[in-house]
């Protein structure tokens, strides 16, 4: 018998979101709501299972996590949700139940809560709030605790400021004795999980509440709460980076995901978004309007402004932008530069090389000390295959060169401006592939 299992309830209809998409797949910064809950659970144990009611949620989770999916075909309430999973949880000694719509709980708080539950049949999480809203109210009666749902609460109960945070720790043997006793005689006609407390009290089981920080336990039930959760998490992440020595000019317009790593002495200008597993080393500047996703940025990199960088690396002292798109495993090697209106796709720009303006380099490898003239393009796609362009060290590419890939330019070579390069160029050579110019003398006079 394994010790502890964690069941995440994510099968609710989420009707209050008024969205065609399941609630738990809504975004909180750069992840889905459910990601935070699953990551948290997996930090405690690998015995995690998620209860779902839609293929969309099931597919999302299965593609990302090695955890068990359980199905609730009819959404009859949180009590019904836990009950129908009993075959799964009856194998454990303890069962932790998490609401799939409560994403901000910290891993350390989850652990503290579970540790606190060891000597109880059931411990529920609560928080104390000035805005108890529609949360279930915690009613303390002598030694007992019960939860009254907002819709069933009396006016006096509605004034209670301690509310159910939706996370429970049960002794499985105790839960088994009460889970079948709950009914749906309430304002919502649902089987409420919190009703098990009533029966646990009757059986003199030991029940307790564990007070959590309010900001960690807010639930998402409508779009306003979702926006609020996004802002809370964003502020928390920005403050963490500020306290680590990151320089953020405008806290109101910068968004950083929870997995991003940033060194001290990185400067982040207004209107920047940094997502995914991005990593930025000290001395770098991320210019206004830039969006980084899984970007690895070295020391003293200057991203001037309006750069979109995805799954790519900018090494020490490189420079990018303004107005640049760098994507799909591209790399700016040390001291290189890619500038205005440039797109790099799966392309390496070698050390000290430059792609200063108006170019598309796709599936290309540029050696060191290369200069790409304005308007140059690698024609990498022939309609079927993506082909490679190799440009050797110390090459000078004239403006408006088209490289019809696959093609290879030897070291220390050059192309004449306006060339369409269809053949390899040997080392130390000039490729000229354009019509020679003819001048028609006195042409203007003749026209008159
Ligand atoms: C629930 C609690 C409430 C608590 C609040 C904290 C109940 C009856 N009420 O209310 O006391 O203050 O959480 O956030 O439990 N779900 C299912 N299947 C169902 C119904 C719900 O899987 O049939 C899932 C939902 O996807 C959600 C979670 O259970 O992740 C909670 O359901 P929700 O409808 O959001 O309950 P609340 O009204 O928030
Ligand atoms: Mg809820």
């Amino acid at each position: 018998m394994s010790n502890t299992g964690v069941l995440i309830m994510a099968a609710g209809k989420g009707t209050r979101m008024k969205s065609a998409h399941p609630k738990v797949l809504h975004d909180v910064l750069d992840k889905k709501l459910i990601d935070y809950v699953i990551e948290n659970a997996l930090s405690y144990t690998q015995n995690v299972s998620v209860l779902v009611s839609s293929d969309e949620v099931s597919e999302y989770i299965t593609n990302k996590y090695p955890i068990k999916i359980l199905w609730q075909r009819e959404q009859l309430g949180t009590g019904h949700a836990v009950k129908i999973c009993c075959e799964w949880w009856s194998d454990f000694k303890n069962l932790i139940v998490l609401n799939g719509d409560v994403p901000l709980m910290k891993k350390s708080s989850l652990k503290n809560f579970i540790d606190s539950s060891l000597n109880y049949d059931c411990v529920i999480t609560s928080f104390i709030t000035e805005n108890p809203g529609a949360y279930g109210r915690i009613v303390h009666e002598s030694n007992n605790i019960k939860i009254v749902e907002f819709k069933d609460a009396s006016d006096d109960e509605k004034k209670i400021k301690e509310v159910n945070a939706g996370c429970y720790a049960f002794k499985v043997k105790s839960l088994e004795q009460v889970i079948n006793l709950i009914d749906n005689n309430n304002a919502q006609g649902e089987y409420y999980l919190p009703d098990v407390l009533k029966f646990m009290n009757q059986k003199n089981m030991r029940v307790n509440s564990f007070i959590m920080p309010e900001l960690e336990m807010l639930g998402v039930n409508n779009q306003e709460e979702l926006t609020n959760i996004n802002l809370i998490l964003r502020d928390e992440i920005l403050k963490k980076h500020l306290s680590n020595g990151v320089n953020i000019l405008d806290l109101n317009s910068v968004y950083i995901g929870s997995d991003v790593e940033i060194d001290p002495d990185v400067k982040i200008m207004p209107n920047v978004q940094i997502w995914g597993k991005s990593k930025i080393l000290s001395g770098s500047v991320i210019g206004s309007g830039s969006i980084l996703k899984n970007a690895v940025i070295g020391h003293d990199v200057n991203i001037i402004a309006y750069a979109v960088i995805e799954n790519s690396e900018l090494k020490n002292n490189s420079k990018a932008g303004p107005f640049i798109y760098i994507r799909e495993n591209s790399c700016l090697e040390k001291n290189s530069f890619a500038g205005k209106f440039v797109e790099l796709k799966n392309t390496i720009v070698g050390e000290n090389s430059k792609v200063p303006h108006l170019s598309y380099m796709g599936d290309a490898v540029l050696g060191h000390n290369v200069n790409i003239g304005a308007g140059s393009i690698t024609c990498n796609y022939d309609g079927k295959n993506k082909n490679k362009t190799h440009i050797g060290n110390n090459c000078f590419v004239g403006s408006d060169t088209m490289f019809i890939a696959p093609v290879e330019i030897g070291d220390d070579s050059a192309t004449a401006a306006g060339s369409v390069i269809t053949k390899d160029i040997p080392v130390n050579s000039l490729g000229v592939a354009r019509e020679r110019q003819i001048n028609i003398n006195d042409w203007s006079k003749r026209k008159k």
Side-chain angles (χ1 to χ4, degrees), residues 9-12 16 23 51 72 75-78 81 99-102 135-136 147 149 164-166 168 192 194 221:
M9 294 187 290
R16 288 168 279 176
K23 173 163 72 178
L51 181 70
Q72 187 188 28
Q75 286 66 60
L76 303 180
T78 49
N99 270 7
D101 62 353
V102 179
Y135 290 101
I147 296 171
E149 288 306 301
N164 174 20
Y168 315 77
Y192 295 158
N221 299 294

Side-chain angles (χ1 to χ4, degrees), residues 36 44 147 302 312 401:
Y36 296 89
Y44 188 79
I147 296 171
N302 186 3
S312 293
T401 299

Side-chain angles (χ1 to χ4, degrees), residues 55-92:
D55 289 327
E56 214 178 326
V57 179
S58 164
E59 268 163 37
Y60 179 79
I61 295 173
T62 316
N63 287 335
K64 204 162 170 190
Y65 304 98
I67 57 182
K68 189 170 174 60
I69 299 289
L70 298 166
W71 282 84
Q72 187 188 28
R73 303 283 168 191
E74 254 188 315
Q75 286 66 60
L76 303 180
T78 49
H80 176 256
V82 170
K83 185 165 120 177
I84 59 167
C85 301
C86 65
E87 229 175 87
W88 178 75
W89 51 256
S90 61
D91 283 344
F92 301 109

